[in-house]
Amino acid sequence: MSKLDLVTEKFASVPYMDLAQARVLADIIEREQAEQILEIGFYHGKSSCYIGAILEDRGAGTLTTVDRESARERSPNIEGMLSACGLTDRVQALYCYRSYTWELQKLITSEAPPQFDLCYFDGGHMWDGTGFGLILVDMLLKPGGLLILDDMDWTIDQSPFFQQNPNLAQEYSADERAAPTVRLAWDLILPRLGYVHEAEIRELHWGVARKT
């Protein structure tokens, strides 16, 4: 059994990435020959397990993934899922106190800053974090590297979390609540950073852009 199938067998019901998305991602990783991968936002860790499984099945590569400290308390959490699938050597999980942007700063200013072939970006979705996060990710992505943005048409108004917490939603203006903030970053920020929009995979809500 492949590691990809093992992740599905053990954790099919865990949100958020599903097997169809994982297979598309596996094709992209294979096509790009990507070995050093960065992930922004892992939640339970299912997407991290899938990426780790893809790398394990290929026999090369590592994933660095970032989320908030609160992710440790989720059930299941990333540590347990990786261990159950035998993927702990493929994935390094970084926990941040407040924002993944601070952890990215620490990577950028480290003695030997990593350079990544591919980034799967699924963190936060708010304008501030997404916009600034992309600028920081760009500093860690190799020339020619690939960026995959998830939830291209996410909005605060349509978010189940904010629908369940309307008091938090009211902290934002009506136009910001209605705006697809990830798509705004795709349209406004990536071209100015020199990225080329390669594809939108609409059934997966993904945008794929390349650093030139």
Side-chain angles (χ1 to χ4, degrees):
M1 178 185 292
S2 71
K3 287 290 187 179
L4 198 69
D5 290 334
L6 180 63
V7 173
T8 304
E9 180 182 87
K10 287 182 172 292
F11 299 113
S13 63
V14 176
Y16 282 100
M17 185 174 281
D18 60 26
L19 181 59
Q21 291 173 305
R23 284 176 171 159
V24 173
L25 191 53
D27 289 342
I28 292 172
I29 290 171
E30 176 65 27
R31 183 191 73 210
E32 298 293 317
Q33 295 294 291
E35 294 189 2
Q36 301 305 315
I37 298 177
L38 174 65
E39 179 186 33
I40 307 300
F42 58 76
Y43 200 61
H44 285 287
K46 189 178 181 184
S47 56
S48 308
C49 284
Y50 269 134
I51 295 170
I54 292 163
L55 297 175
E56 181 69 17
D57 288 339
R58 294 185 68 242
T62 57
L63 169 69
T64 301
T65 186
V66 188
D67 209 318
R68 295 187 64 174
E69 187 70 32
S70 57
R72 293 185 193 271
E73 308 306 318
R74 296 196 175 103
S75 181
N77 67 17
I78 189 171
E79 311 290 352
M81 292 178 70
L82 289 171
S83 178
C85 296
L87 295 169
T88 53
D89 291 340
R90 291 289 176 193
V91 180
Q92 179 188 20
L94 303 179
Y95 295 91
C96 52
Y97 183 78
R98 184 191 64 84
S99 170
Y100 60 82
T101 59
W102 190 246
E103 295 307 313
L104 294 178
Q105 174 273 141
K106 288 159 70 174
L107 289 175
I108 291 165
T109 57
S110 63
E111 186 172 336
Q115 278 202 308
F116 296 99
D117 303 304
L118 184 150
C119 175
Y120 178 69
F121 197 108
D122 185 22
H125 306 332
M126 308 304 292
W127 170 247
D128 311 65
T130 299
F132 184 45
L134 288 176
I135 292 171
L136 297 177
V137 165
D138 176 66
M139 298 171 72
L140 293 164
L141 200 62
K142 293 178 183 177
L146 210 64
L147 173 67
I148 301 173
L149 283 176
D150 190 26
D151 288 328
M152 287 282 287
D153 294 306
W154 180 94
T155 67
I156 293 172
D157 279 342
Q158 295 175 350
S159 163
F161 172 80
F162 282 104
Q163 289 172 355
Q164 294 166 13
N165 297 273
N167 57 316
L168 297 179
Q170 293 308 310
E171 296 178 9
Y172 301 88
S173 64
D175 59 335
E176 186 171 0
R177 293 198 303 269
T181 44
V182 177
R183 183 171 294 280
L184 276 175
W186 164 270
D187 288 336
L188 295 177
I189 295 175
L190 290 185
R192 286 165 173 78
L193 292 176
Y195 284 72
V196 174
H197 294 164
E198 288 209 342
E200 279 197 58
I201 309 174
R202 292 191 177 275
E203 64 272 21
L204 302 183
H205 309 287
W206 287 0
V208 183
R210 188 176 300 279
K211 181 176 180 176
T212 58

